[in-house]
Amino acid sequence: MITAHLVKLEFPYYNVLVLFLAYGVFDSLGPFLQAHIGIGWPSALGAGDYQVAYLFLMLGAAIGVYGSFVVSSITSLRLPKPNRDLG
């Protein structure tokens, strides 16, 4: 949302990382529905370790994308040249 605001995109703001988050939610929804309603699907990520690994993978991807944005923003700043004439 910060990057969309800075580049003045139209609302609604969209980020490709939302697709991976939606996949994780959709994958976890199947076993939940199967347990409570009786209609669902088995999780592609499994029931334990793979879901946690996917969570940390998405966290790392988000930190990486945000970190590259921060580095790009800092290195593209044009700072004023220092005034060497002090006297």
Side-chain angles (χ1 to χ4, degrees):
M1 188 178 271
I2 294 171
T3 57
H5 172 71
L6 289 176
V7 296
K8 298 182 181 177
L9 291 177
E10 296 293 323
F11 187 82
Y13 302 132
Y14 177 74
N15 190 339
V16 73
L17 293 175
V18 171
L19 294 176
F20 298 109
L21 178 63
Y23 171 75
V25 170
F26 184 76
D27 184 60
S28 297
L29 188 61
F32 177 80
L33 291 176
Q34 197 169 24
H36 289 86
I37 298 175
I39 300 171
W41 53 89
S43 174
L45 295 173
D49 292 340
Y50 291 114
Q51 285 184 345
V52 174
Y54 187 78
L55 174 78
F56 283 115
L57 175 78
M58 290 299 98
L59 177 64
I63 290 171
V65 168
Y66 183 72
S68 68
F69 165 72
V70 168
V71 169
S72 175
S73 298
I74 290 173
T75 58
S76 65
L77 289 175
R78 294 190 172 212
L79 300 175
K81 292 184 179 180
N83 188 0
R84 301 278 183 193
D85 185 28
L86 297 175

